[in-house]
Amino acid sequence: MTTEANKALVRRFCDEVANAHDTSKIAEILADDFRLGGADGLNRDALTSVLTYYFSAFSDLRYTIEDVVAEGDTVIARLVMTGTHDGEYDGHPPTGRKFQVDEVDNFTVRNGRITGYRIVWDELGFRRQLGLPLA
């Protein structure tokens, strides 16, 4: 695939899965051998569970893509994640507070599907904005 096609696939993941809160698209976008966080990371089914959990904790969870760059099979997306804590999260009841944090995602795309995904995000800012203990 071209770098433009790889970027389009990452945008599709953000739009059709993350922003639409639709995990049914995961099997067609993520490879069978997908890993979140490296070779020993979460597989596709585990990511589905994590996303479902986040969609429940933050019913308006949204990712706004600020920038996407690609070279070869690597795609880097700079995003802003926003939402409202309106469900249980990390053992804490809903606070009703909103958050907005920066995130940088590193995707690996091979043969038209995402095989790897690493996330760097402002978890400290996230927890502070929600009034949660700093883990």
Side-chain angles (χ1 to χ4, degrees):
M1 290 181 72
T2 67
T3 56
E4 289 306 312
N6 289 348
K7 288 168 36 175
L9 183 64
V10 166
R11 287 183 185 279
R12 183 175 173 219
F13 174 77
C14 290
D15 291 339
E16 295 181 20
V17 175
N19 287 337
H21 297 195
D22 184 1
T23 58
S24 71
K25 305 277 180 129
I26 284 179
E28 64 186 74
I29 296 173
L30 304 182
D32 295 342
D33 61 348
F34 168 86
R35 287 290 182 263
L36 171 68
D40 295 330
L42 300 178
N43 66 21
R44 194 168 68 183
D45 291 339
L47 176 64
T48 299
S49 295
V50 168
L51 288 174
T52 299
Y53 177 73
Y54 269 78
F55 299 156
S56 174
F58 312 102
S59 66
D60 61 348
L61 185 66
R62 176 118 182 111
Y63 296 86
T64 302
I65 296 174
E66 298 289 320
D67 197 19
V68 179
V69 295
E71 183 171 327
D73 64 0
T74 300
V75 179
I76 307 294
R78 186 173 56 86
L79 310 109
V80 175
M81 180 175 67
T82 59
T84 306
H85 182 204
D86 55 5
E88 184 276 329
Y89 176 76
D90 196 26
H92 301 281
T95 63
R97 293 182 177 182
K98 295 186 179 298
F99 68 89
Q100 177 177 322
V101 294
D102 293 324
E103 179 172 318
V104 176
D105 295 349
N106 180 333
F107 296 88
T108 303
V109 178
R110 291 195 182 97
N111 301 317
R113 294 172 77 196
I114 296 170
T115 61
Y117 181 20
R118 293 179 184 263
I119 304 167
V120 178
W121 67 296
D122 182 9
E123 185 177 7
L124 180 61
F126 165 82
R127 295 183 81 80
R128 282 184 174 155
Q129 290 174 55
L130 296 182
L132 300 177
L134 307 179

